[in-house]
Amino acid sequence: MPLSTLWLKLLLVPLLISGASLAGRRWGPQVGGWIVGLPLTSGPVVLFLALEQGPAFAAGSAAGAMLGLVSVTGFCVTYALLAWRAPWFLCMLAGWGVFLLSTALLTEIVVSLAASFAGVVTVMALALRLLPHASSQRPAAHPPAWDIPLRIAAATALVLGLTAVAGRLGPRLSGLLTPFPVYVTVLTVFTHHLGGGAAATQLLRGVIIGSFSFALFFAVVARFLEGQGLLITFGGAVAATLLSHAVLLWTLGASTNRAAGAG
């Protein structure tokens, strides 16, 4: 792993996990999940791949990362459906199993970028309808002082371990494994433990909603990187992602208000 990429992960992982955790405590688990939907680490990793491996390799990884959101969605739905009746470790293992099975199947699928993007968006939209409605939940336990440091340590270990393996697998499989739900797993497990199945489901709903911006970012990178260069491509991808995420935050707030009114 290049030293620059290693330091990037060591700096961004704590910032993302602590920021999403604190936002979840302040504004609810759905907002914490929405934050995780931003490509704050995978985006820069693809940028480093473009600098070190070339635009073609990075574009292939970006296309794979976008398609890998199908597997992330499978993890989210599986965990959410089990969270109401099973402990966190069974939900986590089942979710990981679905992610890996979906990834294995996706390696055999070759379609155009446009078809991949349409398929990913459709799967995520359907998943939002499948998630249980979490209109009520038990009061969350007061988190201990070691809560966020442990989240950071767990997420950092998972990121370093997974990316060390994924980098040897080529652009497509490496891209498919890039969105492995590291942050989602850590945040969901802690949320599930402290707030119950309803809180975990709310967070996972926020993750799926935020992942629409993730898909858009990598679709732009995969489509334009080889022809338009780094500056234009990543600048346009960031701008599109921020605009999309702002719209999604408004949507998230509107759905939360409707749920509160119904409750």
Side-chain angles (χ1 to χ4, degrees):
M1 180 187 300
L3 185 60
S4 55
T5 305
L6 173 63
W7 278 110
L8 179 69
K9 291 183 171 73
L10 291 177
L11 289 173
L12 286 181
V13 170
L15 288 174
L16 178 60
I17 290 296
S18 58
S21 300
L22 293 173
R25 293 179 186 177
R26 175 64 179 83
W27 293 292
Q30 283 195 99
V31 175
W34 169 82
I35 291 174
V36 176
L38 283 170
L40 296 178
T41 54
S42 51
V45 166
V46 172
L47 173 60
F48 278 106
L49 285 176
L51 294 172
E52 297 164 358
Q53 304 292 338
F57 188 100
S61 294
M66 182 194 67
L67 190 59
L69 287 174
V70 172
S71 302
V72 175
T73 303
F75 169 89
C76 292
V77 172
T78 301
Y79 195 113
L81 293 176
L82 294 176
W84 300 79
R85 62 183 68 90
W88 65 265
F89 57 89
L90 290 181
C91 299
M92 179 187 72
L93 292 176
W96 282 4
V98 170
F99 178 93
L100 294 174
L101 176 60
S102 175
T103 299
L105 294 175
L106 289 172
T107 58
E108 305 299 324
I109 298 176
V110 179
V111 294
S112 67
L113 180 64
S116 294
F117 182 76
V120 167
V121 169
T122 300
V123 167
M124 291 191 297
L126 292 174
L128 288 174
R129 300 183 64 86
L130 290 175
L131 290 184
H133 290 284
S135 57
S136 63
Q137 66 184 73
R138 72 177 189 231
H142 183 69
W146 45 260
D147 174 57
I148 290 182
L150 183 58
R151 296 184 189 204
I152 292 172
T156 302
L158 282 170
V159 167
L160 294 179
L162 289 170
T163 53
V165 175
R168 306 172 186 174
L169 302 178
R172 180 172 173 81
L173 185 54
S174 178
L176 285 170
L177 289 173
T178 294
F180 189 94
V182 174
Y183 308 127
V184 178
T185 297
V186 173
L187 291 175
T188 305
V189 163
F190 277 83
T191 301
H192 189 186
H193 176 69
L194 294 171
T201 300
Q202 288 178 343
L203 185 140
L204 291 167
R205 183 178 296 276
V207 169
I208 294 176
I209 291 174
S211 293
F212 286 95
S213 296
F214 190 110
L216 180 61
F217 177 89
F218 283 107
V220 172
V221 172
R223 171 63 180 84
F224 295 106
L225 182 58
E226 291 187 76
Q228 301 299 326
L230 290 177
L231 184 60
I232 293 177
T233 299
F234 277 89
V238 169
T241 301
L242 292 177
L243 177 60
S244 171
H245 230 51
V247 172
L248 291 172
L249 179 60
W250 177 84
T251 303
L252 192 63
S255 65
T256 300
N257 291 336
R258 286 195 300 269

